[in-house]
Structures are given as C-alpha cells and as structure tokens.
Amino acid sequence: MRIRPALIAPAAAALTVLLLATGASAAVPAPAGIFTPAALATCREGAVKVTATASGTVNQVRISVTNKSGRACAVDHIPTVTFGDLDGTAQPVPPVESAPYRLAAGGTAYAAVRTIDPAAEDSRTVAYLTVAGDPSHHGTRFDAASLGSPAGIPVWEPVTTLWQPTRAGADAALAAAPR
C-alpha cells in the first residue's frame, strides 16, 4: 500500500513562515479547505465507518467514510483503495497531492472508483478490495460478491475520485475523469 504524507498547501506554508518570521502570536485562520495537523487531528480508524457498494455501473464502486465520533477530524482527501494482493492503490483523478479532508462530527464523505480502464486490453481479477479513509488506517475489506461481481473484480489502472460532500458529486467527478 502506498503511504501519502500529509502536506500543507503552499499558501498555508507561506502563511506559517510569515507568522514565524514576524513573531505574530494572533491566531490567523488557514485558507478555506486547508487544515494543518495541529488544527485538526486525523480520524482514528475506530472512529470512522467505511462502506463500499456496487454503483449500478459496470466496473465502478461507490465508497463512503463516516465520522462516528462526536468531533470533527480529518482523513486524507484521496481515499486509499487497494485490490486483493496487487501492489499499489487506485490513483486519484484529478492527479493531486495528499492533503487533509475535514469530516464533521457524524459527517459522511463520498467517492467513486473505476476498477478498470475502459480501453484496457489486459486485466487482473481479484476476490476483494480494501478501502481506507486515510492511508494510516488498515481499511475495511469488501469481497467481490458483495460488490455485485461474484466472478471477481477486474482491475487495470484503477482510479478514484477525491472525497466529495455528496454521492452525486462523487459520481459526477468520476464521469468527468479522463478515460
């Protein structure tokens, strides 16, 4: 499994350097959507519930992560999706670096996964996939039959959307992804 280190966006890093250089002590909020590790803790694995379901479209899976705790926490904004015993993870579309994604207390985020490139002439078949809300988590395993693919999950150059606030947003993001 590939581990993505949490990165602070360049704007937030520049703000931090400026504050340190000037000795400013007043709290200045980070730009919208940017969360530093000190501002929001990573969700504990036991505090989130991960789901995966068939999407109704061949070779696509809908996934979600729900914060079961009583306070906001962060997962990586790129879901970690691995396939059986194959190396690597589904790649994010659009291609981006790792960054925190805020999950409100009781909140849910959604993503969509395409398991095989439609133009693929080759593929592997796996019996399960594993989904984690954050690369520091072990994840939850879902067998092929539970995802509507009892003969196995075909895999070749899989992609995943970033976490989205709605299921429709995740579906639209995958539909817009290059094929």
Side-chain angles (χ1 to χ4, degrees):
M1 178 184 318
R2 177 185 57 159
I3 302 296
R4 296 182 213 95
L7 300 177
I8 299 173
L15 179 62
T16 302
V17 169
L18 177 63
L19 289 174
L20 291 173
T22 61
S25 60
V28 177
I34 305 289
F35 300 96
T36 62
L40 195 61
T42 298
C43 300
R44 289 182 306 103
E45 186 161 12
V48 295
K49 177 182 179 184
V50 177
T51 64
T53 59
S55 74
T57 302
V58 176
N59 301 324
Q60 291 184 15
V61 177
R62 287 182 172 146
I63 60 176
S64 67
V65 61
T66 301
N67 179 356
K68 303 183 303 180
S69 76
R71 61 177 119 163
C73 58
V75 292
D76 195 300
H77 77 142
I78 304 168
T80 302
V81 183
T82 59
F83 299 87
D85 59 357
L86 300 177
D87 291 339
T89 61
Q91 295 302 297
V93 288
V96 295
E97 295 293 324
S98 178
Y101 182 90
R102 184 181 190 276
L103 271 180
T108 301
Y110 304 89
V113 178
R114 185 173 59 223
T115 65
I116 188 168
D117 181 332
E121 295 179 14
D122 193 11
S123 70
R124 306 274 183 151
T125 301
V126 298
Y128 63 91
L129 62 78
T130 304
V131 178
D134 191 85
S136 66
H137 299 169
H138 289 96
T140 303
R141 183 173 164 165
F142 300 91
D143 66 35
S146 73
L147 299 173
S149 190
I153 302 166
V155 182
W156 194 260
E157 297 184 9
V159 295
T160 181
T161 65
L162 306 179
W163 290 119
Q164 304 289 324
T166 65
R167 180 171 283 124
D171 290 345
L174 188 59
R179 293 183 180 262

